[in-house]
Amino acid sequence: MKHQIALALTLLSMAVPVLAQDTPDAVVAGTVPFEMKVLTSGLEGPWELTWGPDNYLWVTERTGGRIDRINPVDGSKTTLIDIDDVSAPGGQDGLLGLALHPDLLKGVGSDYVFTAYTYVDKARGADPVVTDPASPYRFLYTKIVRLTYDTASNTLKDPVELIAGLPASNDHNSGRMKIGPDGKLYYTIGDGGKDQLGNWCIPIEAQRLPTAAELTAKDYIAYQGKSLRLELDGSIPADNPQIGGVVSHVFTYGHRNMQGIDFAPDGTLYASEQGPKTDDEVNILVPGGNYGWPHVAGFRDDRAYQYARWKDAMTPCEQLQFSDITVDPSVPVENETSWTELMQAPLATLFTVPSDWNFTDPTCNGVDFICWPTVAASSIETYMPKSGGIPGWENSLIVTTLKRGSIYVLPLAADGKTLRGPIARYFQSENRFRDTAFSPDKKTLYVATDPGGLAEALKGGTTTTMQNPGSILVFSYTGKAATATAPEADATVATADIAATGTPPVFTEAQADRGKIAYSSNCVSCHGQNLISATYGTPLAGPYFTAHWSGKSVGALYRKAHDTMPPSRPATLPTSDYADIVAYILSVNGVAAGAAEMPADPAALDGMTIPASAVQ
């Protein structure tokens, strides 16, 4: 079924000046009319979406570990390769970036495809910051490989490892990849989600630069929070910038989670980067540039962001409870202007707000991060057709968002370094938009969506039910006025759990203690150390938990944990671990421990009810 999409507000102005750090209410709704349809669905985490020289869409499936070739006419899919050693234990790892050689299918012997993914490498030794021997991240690294496309068999084969042992983490892996007009391979690596959530006692190393000794040892730990520039064989280009006296793969540094990069026709390299509570950034990457993180988020303006160094707390960090909202008094904080080193300011932010902004908006009912000004920018694409295309979009940047289920169109001034008018928002939906690709005529936009997660609901607040999970959506410019509608909802809608009436939950204190250990190993990166302060999974305590679980059966909570967690490998933990984790969650929410252990039997747990009075 097709829909006509047009959101009716004022047309984009070509002359109105715009501040590069406007608040969210400065965004206008897009007015260009589009027709929408679902091309294909059922993909396991489509992450990179690229239009190939064969006029097919090339897609990586993050959790599926596959590279696919999709017909843009009928949505039929062919899997080109299933990469066995992809490891995707969490929400931000697995098979990530993809880049096609510029000479692919030109008959010159360069039918190469480049990709990057996380994998387990025990031979390299454990990540020193992952101390839990049972953690799936203890030996997790990233590698970049080159594959050869065999046109006869329509497969990718003959993997060649270009570089291995790059940093990987349970958070902020970034992973966007492009081949530049200079013939070099560009790749982004995030800061690992350090100094927050489950990693709150691990310092951020986005400012740390690699040493000559580390390069000799092929130790790439200092590549966190960087963009890289590599030769197509994985080696260090001779003309890479010398930073801190060393020439390495590092092209730029001081980044948080840069999930988008793209080149303009003139060679300008644009990037989108996820900020903390404020200040997602749109940057221009320059050789050797420092982009300020973690000392600065967005502009160096002392607005709504302070760098809190949890590891340096006077109280031992491990004894503290992490919070994005209230920083413990023993944790040192610094204003942005107290850091005076040279840095590259962003082209624009999404979005900067005053320091008195309310970061606990009750609209989001405890899932605070969805209501924060950041949009979770997940990719960027330059839109600069030589002719034709979509009127009003010429010379713009297209940014997808995870939290907002939209794309943002940022119109560029003639210099390409500033905005010429307000940012416009298109295609608002209850989806998480991951990446985009355009057809050659630049009139059709393809959008990849996440298979699940949290997003802004159309009526405000939050939703965990995606309209088009794991899909490729098609938005075609129609050139005529149309009625505004939202993308088509997926036919499968989860039904609410039936409220239960039964006995109180039972578990022992020792079981809850075991559950805390299991939770820390498998759940904390998505749901937060205190079960509330997270940016990927739903809160497991506080108002959100109250609204969703009080009065329901313990069996329903057990099944939810068992059937969906950990991400990308649900139902893989011992059943006793799921019972222990549920016991821990209930204990945090005020349910008293007793003398009997909670059984790992959902049928038995169906007779137990989560008491409303305990969930405060």
Side-chain angles (χ1 to χ4, degrees), residues 62-63 88-93 134-137 170 517-527 536-537 540 558-575 577-578 581:
R62 182 182 67 81
T63 56
Q92 300 198 33
D93 38 46
S135 172
Y137 298 95
N170 58 11
I517 295 172
Y519 175 90
S520 297
S521 296
N522 298 281
C523 312
V524 71
S525 62
C526 289
H527 296 279
Y536 190 79
L540 298 174
Y558 176 95
R559 289 186 184 91
K560 180 69 173 179
H562 179 275
D563 295 346
T564 63
M565 298 300 292
S568 80
R569 52 187 184 100
T572 58
L573 302 180
T575 56
D577 281 11
Y578 288 106
I581 290 170

Side-chain angles (χ1 to χ4, degrees), residues 104-119:
L104 178 67
L105 300 180
K106 291 184 178 179
V108 295
S110 296
D111 289 338
Y112 298 135
V113 173
F114 301 83
T115 193
Y117 58 89
T118 54
Y119 72 107

Side-chain angles (χ1 to χ4, degrees), residues 497-503 551-559 598-599 601-610:
D497 293 311
I498 299 173
T501 56
T503 61
K552 294 180 180 177
S553 74
V554 176
L557 181 58
Y558 176 95
R559 289 186 184 91
M598 177 181 293
D601 179 1
L605 299 178
D606 284 338
M608 302 178 191
T609 302
I610 301 172

Side-chain angles (χ1 to χ4, degrees), residues 125-151:
D127 184 333
V129 302
V130 182
T131 57
D132 179 3
S135 172
Y137 298 95
R138 187 158 171 78
F139 300 97
L140 197 71
Y141 294 91
T142 301
K143 67 168 65 173
I144 297 175
V145 301
R146 188 192 74 195
L147 303 161
T148 299
Y149 180 52
D150 185 337
T151 56

Side-chain angles (χ1 to χ4, degrees), residues 119-363:
Y119 72 107
V120 173
D121 191 345
K122 293 186 177 180
R124 288 186 178 271
D127 184 333
V129 302
V130 182
T131 57
D132 179 3
S135 172
Y137 298 95
R138 187 158 171 78
F139 300 97
L140 197 71
Y141 294 91
T142 301
K143 67 168 65 173
I144 297 175
V145 301
R146 188 192 74 195
L147 303 161
T148 299
Y149 180 52
D150 185 337
T151 56
S153 62
N154 196 23
T155 60
L156 290 169
K157 61 181 185 179
D158 302 331
V160 176
E161 186 178 282
L162 303 183
I163 187 170
L166 296 172
S169 176
N170 58 11
D171 203 2
H172 293 184
N173 285 303
S174 295
R176 198 61 71 184
M177 176 186 290
K178 297 288 180 182
I179 294 178
D182 56 1
K184 310 302 181 186
L185 186 66
Y186 291 77
Y187 187 71
T188 67
I189 299 179
D191 70 352
K194 308 296 174 61
D195 199 48
Q196 65 163 14
L197 306 179
N199 303 321
W200 82 104
C201 291
I202 306 172
I204 297 169
E205 298 195 87
Q207 292 291 324
R208 186 168 92 77
L209 298 170
T211 66
E214 286 173 334
L215 292 180
T216 299
K218 296 186 177 180
D219 179 356
Y220 303 118
I221 189 66
Y223 283 10
Q224 298 172 81
K226 314 295 192 294
S227 72
L228 309 183
R229 180 175 182 262
L230 307 89
E231 297 285 0
L232 296 188
D233 62 2
S235 61
I236 299 172
D239 59 346
N240 265 11
Q242 184 180 93
I243 312 174
V246 174
V247 177
S248 67
H249 294 99
V250 173
F251 184 67
T252 61
Y253 64 111
H255 298 287
R256 185 174 184 268
N257 193 19
M258 188 163 45
Q259 288 192 358
I261 53 173
D262 197 27
F263 287 91
D266 66 359
T268 301
L269 179 52
Y270 293 95
S272 63
E273 180 168 344
Q274 294 176 9
K277 297 199 299 294
T278 67
D279 295 297
D280 284 352
E281 297 177 359
V282 174
N283 288 306
I284 296 175
L285 301 189
V286 297
N290 184 349
Y291 290 79
W293 180 255
H295 301 282
V296 177
F299 294 87
R300 186 156 37 193
D301 53 16
D302 289 339
R303 296 179 66 187
Y305 171 74
Q306 289 181 310
Y307 175 29
R309 302 195 311 273
W310 287 83
K311 181 63 177 177
D312 298 333
M314 294 180 63
T315 301
C317 180
E318 292 76 10
Q319 298 178 17
L320 300 175
Q321 283 287 326
F322 175 80
S323 171
D324 275 307
I325 306 300
T326 304
V327 178
D328 189 276
S330 69
V331 177
V333 297
E334 65 177 51
N335 292 326
E336 292 175 311
T337 54
S338 66
W339 185 73
T340 58
E341 294 189 26
L342 184 66
M343 64 163 284
Q344 301 291 323
L347 183 156
T349 61
L350 302 168
F351 293 95
T352 301
V353 296
S355 296
D356 61 356
W357 188 269
N358 177 19
F359 289 104
T360 55
D361 189 335
T363 303

